[in-house]
């Protein structure tokens, strides 16, 4: 059932085999694995600066970091009665995830700082253990598990807003029509806000549907909106790439899917790429809608892009003469 999801195939295969969430400590006795996790995780957590001053990590090699991560992975899978161990493991990983941000926490090991994308992906996979239900646990312990899960999700949400991982993920998912549809929706909301403060109330208004208004957080500054607008506009890369299956399939996910597939099909011939013409059409319609919005011609421009509707029937000739394309300072 997952044959068309080339970009997800390796993840699905790993999930089926539990390859990404198991630790070697699981091969030892329950008490032995728990004791090792308790000692190592407590020592690592003491350097985070939560109860004491933060300290630089003394993990200097990939081997050292990977060994500790294997221990943390096991700690996150312990029964919820081991709340302190699990909580410390969550705290460590939430701090280490900051490696993908411009300002990295002091306690993050150097190997993670040098290769943040690889390590953060592995951290996220280990955090799956936190969300696994534990049979027979009481309400109080389950509630404490929910609090930790919420912290992880909030950390990932905050990080994603500042991370290059989003760009890489979008590049790997351009063959999914749902991504382009969401891209169009967010572009419309950002454009509406950009036009509002750039041209003022005299410019034809873009009416955004209520269900789309939440896509851009309230309280963003004008500069933040302008930055987000240009960055999100470019996040899919060149639209012409969508005309070239050879380009879209040039990702590790497609290549790995081919290696795992016994029929020897070339990446550019994968069945999921048959949707590229329709995806290209939706992308170009979205861009055309943005151009119309800047020209002030909003009536009917966004049909099929989202549920947005225009409240103005102004023609481009009625656009105020003082209006001009905004200078965002980006090339």
């Amino acid at each position: 059932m997952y044959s068309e999801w080339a970009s997800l195939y390796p993840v699905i295969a790993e999930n089926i085999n539990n390859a990404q969430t198991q630790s070697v400590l699981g091969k030892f006795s329950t008490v032995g694995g728990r004791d090792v996790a308790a000692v190592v995780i407590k020592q690592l957590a003491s350097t985070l600066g939560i109860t004491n001053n933060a300290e630089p990590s003394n993990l200097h090699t990939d081997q050292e970091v990977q060994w500790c991560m294997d221990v943390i992975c096991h700690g996150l899978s312990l029964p919820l009665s081991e709340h302190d161990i699990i909580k410390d493991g969550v705290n460590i990983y939430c701090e280490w995830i900051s490696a993908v941000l411009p300002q990295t926490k002091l306690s993050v090991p150097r190997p993670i700082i040098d290769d943040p994308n690889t390590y953060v992906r592995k951290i996220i996979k280990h955090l799956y253990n936190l969300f696994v239900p534990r049979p027979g646990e009481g309400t109080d312990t389950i509630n404490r598990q929910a609090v930790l899960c919420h912290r992880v999700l909030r950390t990932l949400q905050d990080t994603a807003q500042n991370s290059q991982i989003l760009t890489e993920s979008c590049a790997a998912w351009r063959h999914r029509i749902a991504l382009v549809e969401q891209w169009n929706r967010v572009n419309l909301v950002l454009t509406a806000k950009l036009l509002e403060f750039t041209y003022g109330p005299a410019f034809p208004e873009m009416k955004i549907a209520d269900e789309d208004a939440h896509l851009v957080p309230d309280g963003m500054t004008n500069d933040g909106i302008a930055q987000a607008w240009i960055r999100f506009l470019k996040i899919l890369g060149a639209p012409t790439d969508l005309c070239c299956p050879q380009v879209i399939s040039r990702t590790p996910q497609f290549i790995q899917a081919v290696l795992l597939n016994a029929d020897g099909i070339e990446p550019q011939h994968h069945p999921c790429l048959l949707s590229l013409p329709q995806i290209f059409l939706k992308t170009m319609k979205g861009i055309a809608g943005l151009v119309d919005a800047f020209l002030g011609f909003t009536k009917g421009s966004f049909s099929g892009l989202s549920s947005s509707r225009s409240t103005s029937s102004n023609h481009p000739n009625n656009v105020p003469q003082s209006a001009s394309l905004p200078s965002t300072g980006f090339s």
Side-chain angles (χ1 to χ4, degrees):
M1 64 181 291
Y2 300 110
S3 59
E4 295 185 1
W5 293 76
S7 55
L8 282 183
Y9 186 87
V11 176
I12 294 167
E14 284 185 328
N15 277 332
I16 292 174
N17 298 322
N18 291 323
Q20 56 189 353
T21 57
Q22 287 185 341
S23 166
V24 69
L25 289 179
K27 298 183 179 297
F28 294 87
S29 68
T30 302
V31 175
R34 183 262 176 207
D35 289 347
V36 172
V39 172
V40 174
I41 291 176
K42 183 177 181 180
Q43 176 67 30
L44 291 172
S46 67
T47 68
L48 301 180
I50 296 176
T51 57
N52 302 309
N53 293 331
E55 301 174 10
S57 174
N58 59 359
L59 304 177
H60 304 300
T61 68
D62 289 315
Q63 184 178 11
E64 292 171 349
V65 173
Q66 290 169 8
W67 185 87
C68 289
M69 288 181 64
D70 192 64
V71 174
I72 297 172
C73 177
H74 182 74
L76 293 173
S77 68
L78 292 174
L80 297 180
S81 57
E82 303 292 351
H83 178 74
D84 290 341
I85 299 176
I86 298 174
K87 181 180 70 174
D88 284 344
V90 169
N91 289 338
I92 294 167
Y93 272 169
C94 285
E95 292 290 299
W96 287 5
I97 285 174
S98 71
V100 300
L101 301 177
Q103 297 294 329
T104 302
K105 301 293 181 65
L106 179 65
S107 59
V108 179
R110 172 52 58 181
I112 298 180
I113 296 175
D114 292 339
D115 190 10
N117 288 342
T118 298
Y119 278 104
V120 169
R121 288 190 183 97
K122 190 170 184 179
I123 286 172
I124 293 173
K125 292 174 182 178
H126 287 181
L127 286 169
Y128 290 173
N129 284 333
L130 176 65
F131 293 80
V132 175
R134 273 71 158 180
E137 296 287 355
T139 302
D140 290 341
T141 53
I142 293 176
N143 287 339
R144 287 191 291 178
Q145 179 189 23
V147 171
L148 294 177
C149 291
H150 183 266
R151 193 207 165 177
V152 168
L153 294 175
R154 187 175 65 249
T155 299
L156 293 176
Q157 182 182 37
D158 293 342
T159 303
Q161 295 175 355
N162 300 281
S163 174
Q164 290 298 318
I165 293 179
L166 177 61
T167 302
E168 295 180 3
S169 298
C170 287
W173 276 68
R174 287 184 292 178
H175 62 289
R176 307 305 305 182
I177 197 166
L179 175 68
V180 174
E181 290 174 344
Q182 185 71 3
W183 179 75
N184 279 332
R185 293 175 64 204
V186 176
N187 277 336
L188 287 178
V189 179
L190 286 171
T191 299
K193 290 182 176 291
L194 183 70
L195 294 177
E196 182 179 349
F197 71 79
T198 302
Y199 294 152
F203 199 77
E205 179 187 2
M206 291 177 62
K207 179 63 177 178
I208 301 299
D210 293 339
E211 60 266 25
D212 289 347
H214 72 281
L215 294 175
V216 175
D218 294 330
M220 285 185 66
T221 64
N222 291 346
D223 182 63
I225 292 172
Q227 291 275 353
W229 181 83
I230 191 64
R231 292 174 187 272
F232 207 83
L233 184 66
K234 294 182 175 182
I235 203 167
L236 289 186
T240 52
D241 288 351
L242 296 170
C243 299
C244 305
Q246 296 87 347
V247 175
I248 300 300
S249 62
R250 198 181 301 153
T251 65
Q253 291 87 349
F254 272 98
I255 295 173
Q256 187 169 3
V258 170
L259 295 176
L260 295 174
N261 198 333
D263 59 15
I265 186 174
E266 292 294 326
Q268 64 268 26
H269 297 141
H270 196 280
C272 67
L273 297 178
L274 295 176
S275 299
L276 285 183
Q278 185 181 4
I279 293 172
F280 175 74
L281 177 62
K282 279 188 173 289
T283 302
M284 297 311 296
K285 281 186 175 180
I287 295 173
L290 299 182
V291 173
D292 285 346
F294 275 103
L295 293 175
F297 185 55
T298 59
K299 185 176 181 180
S301 299
F302 314 120
S303 176
L305 300 179
S306 74
S307 54
S308 303
R309 300 187 307 275
S310 170
T311 58
S312 171
S313 59
N314 289 16
H315 188 273
N317 293 335
N318 296 330
V319 176
Q321 293 183 359
S322 60
S324 60
L325 291 179
S327 175
T328 59
F330 303 106
S331 58

